[in-house]
Amino acid sequence: DSYGYVVGDEARDYIGRSIKLAQEHRYLMEACYLRTGSIDAAAKEMVDSFFAEYPDYFLSREIFEGVYRQMIRHVALSMDSGRSER
């Protein structure tokens, strides 16, 4: 958590929940990339979905889309290298 710290019951399974949510988010990025076949299109779709839910988010769409392009590029390269090893 980069905004502070957690204690008590919230802290008890914080790492476990974080890992689970990260896995779920990666699955969404993988599915979006497979569906669109494009890093740019997948990033735009993920950002559009995020801003539909959080329209007043503090980062601009452009910055957020750049961050998503980087994340999806990493996911895509991992997926592609996994396929070539089979």
Side-chain angles (χ1 to χ4, degrees):
D1 185 345
S2 60
Y3 301 108
Y5 58 91
V6 292
V7 296
D9 289 340
E10 184 181 2
R12 192 171 327 284
D13 193 35
Y14 180 79
I15 298 299
R17 286 191 324 266
S18 296
I19 290 169
K20 182 177 185 290
L21 289 171
Q23 289 168 334
E24 291 171 3
H25 196 75
R26 182 180 178 121
Y27 171 76
L28 289 174
M29 288 189 289
E30 288 175 352
C32 190
Y33 173 67
L34 287 172
R35 185 175 55 259
T36 64
S38 162
I39 292 169
D40 289 338
K44 183 176 181 339
E45 187 175 305
M46 294 292 295
V47 170
D48 287 347
S49 175
F50 181 86
F51 275 92
E53 192 169 344
Y54 304 100
D56 297 325
Y57 195 67
F58 71 96
L59 286 179
S60 72
R61 293 177 77 85
E62 295 79 18
I63 292 172
F64 213 58
E65 198 167 317
V67 170
Y68 261 99
R69 268 195 302 277
Q70 291 175 345
M71 290 190 298
I72 293 170
R73 183 175 296 111
H74 171 76
V75 167
L77 290 171
S78 296
M79 292 170 67
D80 292 343
S81 70
R83 279 190 225 132
S84 66
E85 294 173 6
R86 293 181 188 162

